[in-house]
Amino acid sequence: QYKNRWLDENSPELAPVVAFYDSLAALYPTDEDLCYLRANAHYYKGVEYAFANDDVEAFRHYLGALGVMRQFQAWDEHPYAKRFIALTYTRLSEILYSFGLYDNAMEACQQATTYFENDADLAAMMRYEAHIYQAEKEYDKALACFGQAKDLAPLGVDDGELALGAKLFEMQQYDSAYPHLKRAFASGDPIARVDAAAKLSEICRVNGKADEELRYTRFYVESSMRET
């Protein structure tokens, strides 16, 4: 694996690989290629733990990968190394986001943005920042991020439905907000679904749609109880 630089999440159990690279690095601490492979070993061990839903161990190995990469300032000039660092910060941000540590998630996300260089990567990070702002109910900032991402690299679908619907809801433009919130509720993002359900329940209450109000209220309450 060292010779062929072949490592991915489908590799065999990676603990021996990580230990092997760590032991080599102790002998050859200034070998840049070796240290880059060592960082990759930690990264993919983190991926392995992430697939096993062990976010704490995944987080520890992602931090290990960053620790290795920080040893060589010269890597700031190599596109492949910069993108690797950015991806590692992205993984850290996702774990922090899943634990509801939104400020820390945003900090890691913005670190990733400083290393990404192509428009598609930057747009993806802008959309991710927008989702964090949505979770914090800062809808104006979320809309701005979604707009910047759309300018950089448009997607076939608009993923800013919750931010737009929530903004219209705040302005009490319920009829205009309703279809956007419905699409947000149908999305796969659990935080967006819960937020949209709370607002849809209120719109249905105002409009006298008791059955629909009950459905959204029940979803919101059950989701909140599971989170607690």
Side-chain angles (χ1 to χ4, degrees):
Q1 288 189 326
Y2 172 67
K3 180 180 178 181
N4 296 309
R5 296 170 178 259
W6 177 76
L7 274 177
D8 61 42
E9 63 269 23
N10 298 314
S11 297
E13 213 287 324
L14 291 172
V17 180
V18 175
F20 174 66
Y21 285 141
D22 283 348
S23 64
L24 275 181
L27 295 171
Y28 307 104
T30 60
D31 186 322
E32 290 189 22
D33 283 344
L34 171 60
C35 285
Y36 183 63
L37 286 166
R38 182 183 174 217
N40 273 264
H42 277 287
Y43 176 87
Y44 286 113
K45 185 63 182 173
V47 172
E48 187 174 71
Y49 275 118
F51 285 153
N53 297 315
D54 188 341
D55 286 337
V56 173
E57 283 299 310
F59 195 86
R60 187 170 69 84
H61 279 281
Y62 292 143
L63 282 180
L66 281 179
V68 174
M69 296 302 287
R70 287 184 181 133
Q71 294 175 22
F72 294 95
Q73 203 69 31
W75 274 334
D76 286 347
E77 305 304 318
H78 295 298
Y80 68 87
K82 290 174 73 173
R83 192 168 193 277
F84 175 77
I85 293 170
L87 288 171
T88 307
Y89 272 117
T90 302
R91 299 289 86 78
L92 290 172
S93 182
E94 288 169 352
I95 293 174
L96 291 164
Y97 179 81
S98 72
F99 281 108
L101 301 170
Y102 302 130
D103 289 344
N104 303 95
M106 179 64 76
E107 186 179 345
C109 182
Q110 289 173 346
Q111 285 281 2
T113 303
T114 65
Y115 285 96
F116 277 129
E117 294 185 319
N118 73 62
D119 286 350
D121 284 334
L122 288 170
M125 291 311 298
M126 293 302 298
R127 290 186 175 93
Y128 187 63
E129 283 187 33
H131 285 298
I132 297 174
Y133 281 129
Q134 283 189 159
E136 295 187 297
K137 296 181 169 52
E138 296 191 41
Y139 302 115
D140 286 336
K141 292 181 180 178
L143 280 171
C145 284
F146 280 127
Q148 291 170 2
K150 190 173 183 180
D151 291 340
L152 280 171
L155 291 177
V157 295
D158 184 1
D159 51 2
E161 295 288 357
L162 175 61
L164 181 54
K167 189 62 185 174
L168 292 166
F169 179 87
E170 287 179 356
M171 297 165 65
Q172 297 186 349
Q173 296 182 19
Y174 295 142
D175 289 343
S176 298
Y178 183 79
H180 295 291
L181 292 170
K182 283 271 285 187
R183 286 191 284 271
F185 182 76
S187 74
D189 186 299
I191 294 174
R193 296 198 77 202
V194 172
D195 197 352
K199 291 173 173 57
L200 285 166
S201 174
E202 176 63 14
I203 291 173
C204 292
R205 186 191 67 78
V206 170
N207 291 335
K209 299 178 180 179
D211 290 343
E212 206 172 346
E213 178 195 352
L214 178 61
R215 181 164 70 90
Y216 289 123
T217 300
R218 177 172 289 172
F219 179 89
Y220 176 79
V221 172
E222 288 178 353
S223 299
S224 300
M225 288 176 68
R226 279 197 300 273
E227 183 177 341
T228 304

